[in-house]
Amino acid sequence: MTEKQSKERRRKVVVVGAGAVGATFCYALAHSGLADDIVIIDVNVNLAQGQVLDLEHGQPFFPPVSIRVGDPGDYADAQVVVIAAGAAQGPGETRLDLLQKNASIVGRIAEEVAEKNCPGVLLVVSNPVDVLTYVVLKLSGWDRRRVIGSGTVLDSARFRQLLGNYCGVDVHNVHAYVLGEHGDSEFVAWSMTHIAGTPIDTYCAASANCTDWNTQRPRIEQAVRDSAYHVINYKGATHFAVGLALVRITGAILRGQDSVLTVSTLVDNAYGLKDVCLSVPCIVSEGGVARIIATPLPAEEQTALEASAAVLRTAIDQVGL
Ligand code: NAD
């Protein structure tokens, strides 16, 4: 690398956790051409080294990008730090045990990132992502805009894919969002769902493709919620689509794109909620969440959002920050 190239380099992404999610994200990010430097950190140093080597062998097929194993010193000039580190649920371990364990892992990483005066954005993907986003926000001591969770960006993609398939419309022209927890209490915001500016119910009532809409509507909502369980039942984990969702979020940050994305963010005095991290539509740009788009919801969706916030508040209280 020439000195000129090294000075120009500034799009550095550090990925903590080189498992299925972290590695898939690195692979997709390398392909995207969005980053100049991809740095991988894992407590399992051999795994990190192996992922780096495997990715490096793909360099003739990627846009130019440097990929290497790093250490906490790399946080000092990273634009984005993605936290995909976590422990798997062990035998006899409860979800609460796992929550405590992962809160301690990501909390320590957040403190290290803050200690290195990282100027960038912290993007959490480890589960339970909303609770851990809150943990990272508190333990980093950072401004709320710079700490985000991948939230329901993945769930919204699943929703759009199912709707596009059912309606026979290019998924890129389906606008639809899943709000609340990335988990069982999430819900689809039908009031925000449209195709070509036409509300989805109106669209489906007029489209010959949309047979049996009244039955399909709840089926699609349930399928979105069950998506992760289905994939996990078949192959043990999800990683391709979440890796791509992470590239979308990272790209919005690196390019200062002002994209509307349902990332998990601290919602405090918006949507009638206080002090909880969950997903609502946000403008995502260079510094993270530039602003929340606070749209009045119909009563049924507002109730669902409040119920989801209550579930998350209970889990946050269990961590005991
Ligand atoms: P994985 O077990 O394959 O990888 C986790 C990695 O984290 C391991 O390599 C482990 O060595 C590493 N690790 C553990 N502690 C660490 C530490 N202190 N510092 C650095 N690395 C550490 O798991 P995965 O399938 O890659 O999933 C990672 C996380 O992402 C899990 O919490 C999973 O539930 C979550 N996930 C989130 C979404 C989402 O949409 N938010 C989707 C899929 C998976």
Side-chain angles (χ1 to χ4, degrees):
M1 192 195 313
T2 65
E3 197 185 335
K4 179 167 174 276
Q5 278 171 325
S6 95
K7 276 195 184 137
E8 281 171 359
R9 287 199 173 215
R10 38 174 288 275
R11 297 174 303 166
K12 175 176 175 181
V13 179
V14 179
V15 183
V16 193
V21 171
T24 308
F25 167 57
C26 291
Y27 175 76
L29 184 65
H31 240 303
S32 73
L34 284 163
D36 297 307
D37 288 290
I38 301 175
V39 178
I40 302 179
I41 298 175
D42 199 293
V43 280
N44 182 344
V45 181
N46 283 342
L47 178 65
Q49 189 60 61
Q51 302 288 29
V52 165
L53 277 176
D54 200 3
L55 286 163
E56 275 186 325
H57 298 160
Q59 271 176 332
F61 314 110
F62 291 144
V65 58
S66 115
I67 305 166
R68 63 178 171 81
V69 174
D71 61 45
D74 280 297
Y75 300 141
D77 58 352
Q79 270 77 58
V80 185
V81 176
V82 176
I83 304 181
Q89 202 158 352
E93 221 175 24
T94 66
R95 281 181 82 175
L96 187 57
D97 293 335
L98 185 68
L99 168 59
Q100 298 289 6
K101 206 191 263 182
N102 280 347
S104 144
I105 290 172
V106 303
R108 182 64 207 123
I109 295 166
E111 286 170 342
E112 278 181 342
V113 173
E115 279 160 19
K116 300 291 177 198
N117 292 319
C118 171
V121 173
L122 265 162
L123 171 54
V124 183
V125 61
S126 308
N127 275 322
V129 67
D130 302 286
V131 181
L132 296 185
T133 301
Y134 189 91
V135 169
V136 167
L137 176 69
K138 292 298 160 190
L139 294 185
S140 64
W142 281 11
D143 183 282
R144 62 205 275 182
R145 285 169 291 197
R146 291 172 62 205
V147 178
I148 63 187
S150 57
T152 57
V153 174
L154 171 59
D155 314 72
S156 297
R158 289 168 172 156
F159 183 32
R160 290 172 59 202
Q161 185 271 328
L162 287 164
L163 275 178
N165 207 24
Y166 167 74
C167 295
V169 172
D170 181 348
V171 64
H172 299 93
N173 297 122
V174 178
H175 294 272
Y177 304 101
V178 175
L179 306 185
E181 176 197 12
H182 168 66
D184 293 343
S185 71
E186 70 185 27
F187 66 98
V188 305
W190 290 111
S191 64
M192 295 177 178
T193 308
H194 66 90
I195 291 173
T198 310
I200 193 69
D201 286 332
T202 312
Y203 181 90
C204 288
S207 168
N209 278 329
C210 304
T211 48
D212 203 15
W213 173 233
N214 288 339
T215 314
Q216 292 306 315
R217 196 181 192 269
R219 189 194 63 78
I220 288 172
E221 175 156 15
Q222 192 56 43
V224 172
R225 218 175 273 122
D226 292 343
S227 292
Y229 294 120
H230 284 146
V231 180
I232 289 166
N233 281 345
Y234 280 120
K235 57 178 245 179
T238 69
H239 55 106
F240 288 127
V242 68
L244 291 166
L246 291 171
V247 172
R248 178 73 182 90
I249 301 166
T250 304
I253 295 165
L254 293 175
R255 288 193 289 222
Q257 214 173 342
D258 296 322
S259 299
V260 177
L261 293 167
T262 51
V263 290
S264 187
T265 186
L266 181 74
V267 183
D268 197 27
N269 293 324
Y271 284 96
L273 305 180
K274 283 208 71 70
D275 198 32
V276 67
C277 285
L278 49 62
S279 288
V280 289
C282 295
I283 301 290
V284 178
S285 206
E286 217 164 6
V289 170
R291 61 187 184 280
I292 287 172
I293 301 175
T295 310
L297 294 172
E300 193 186 356
E301 291 174 13
Q302 180 63 31
T303 303
L305 187 65
E306 287 171 14
S308 194
V311 167
L312 289 168
R313 190 66 243 170
T314 303
I316 290 167
D317 290 342
Q318 285 170 339
V319 177
L321 284 176

